Amino acid sequence: TILPVVRGIELFAADDKSNGAIRIAVVGVPHQQDGVCGVISNFMTPAQIIPVIAGIDLSNSPFGDEPHLDCAHMIADPANPLHLSFRGDVKHAIVNFTDEPAQTNLGLTAAGTGDYLKQYGFKFYSFDTFDWHGTFMPVWEHAGGARYEIKRLSTAIARDLNAVFSKVSCGGS
């Protein structure tokens, strides 16, 4: 699943006209350091992030669960436990790529996660499979955002990323 995503991000980055205004951090779910999630790369431009994403090797991942909901909480937490270099003058969005259902190890609900994200000014965009889209729907419905199919051509993923960042930068939902 990751190859079309990498190619879609490459196509998106090649067409990026934001002059560095769009910044992307890569957070892994789960992450080897804490079992929940961890920063693979702090914020960079789309072009800078391509080698980071292309270098992610999922073939030997020892993990069986992907606690997306827990990770979304950590990203939006005002205490910033992941030490992400957020700028205060921008809009924030979580763009989730997965082929797994929404999961938690902390007993969180999808709707509650969406409410939490909204409370702290985050939108949620999920690139997931049709099989699992219903598990993420309450997150983006409550936080604001949308859902996109991950099992698509790279050109469609690039187009969808353009739509996401246009909505975020223009204040859409």
Side-chain angles (χ1 to χ4, degrees):
T1 304
I2 198 165
L3 293 177
V5 171
V6 171
R7 183 68 183 128
I9 293 170
E10 287 173 345
L11 293 169
F12 167 74
D15 193 41
D16 177 26
K17 310 259 189 299
S18 73
N19 294 321
I22 294 174
R23 309 287 281 180
I24 300 170
V26 178
V27 178
V29 180
H31 191 268
Q32 59 217 10
Q33 293 175 354
D34 59 19
V36 178
C37 67
V39 176
I40 294 171
S41 175
N42 218 318
F43 290 97
M44 303 171 131
T45 66
Q48 293 169 322
I49 212 77
I50 292 168
V52 173
I53 294 171
I56 296 172
D57 180 10
L58 301 177
S59 63
N60 294 318
S61 177
F63 307 105
D65 66 327
E66 297 180 11
H68 308 96
L69 303 180
D70 306 347
C71 190
H73 267 257
M74 290 178 73
I75 292 169
D77 185 339
N80 196 9
L82 297 176
H83 307 289
L84 291 166
S85 56
F86 288 112
R87 294 187 340 226
D89 62 337
V90 297
K91 296 178 177 119
H92 303 293
I94 294 172
V95 181
N96 181 59
F97 291 95
T98 187
D99 59 358
E100 293 283 325
Q103 299 170 38
T104 179
N105 292 329
L106 302 175
L108 303 173
T109 66
T113 298
D115 291 338
Y116 186 83
L117 296 178
K118 183 176 182 176
Q119 176 182 352
Y120 292 108
F122 283 80
K123 302 275 187 186
F124 186 87
Y125 298 90
S126 187
F127 285 75
D128 55 49
T129 66
F130 182 77
D131 298 336
W132 305 118
H133 78 278
T135 66
F136 288 101
M137 187 181 301
V139 182
W140 55 262
E141 283 183 337
H142 285 242
R147 181 224 173 241
Y148 300 92
E149 178 64 40
I150 196 170
K151 291 184 178 179
R152 297 179 55 183
L153 298 173
S154 300
T155 52
I157 291 174
R159 184 190 64 237
D160 294 342
L161 282 170
N162 273 311
V164 166
F165 286 104
S166 291
K167 289 176 184 178
V168 172
S169 64
C170 296
S173 58

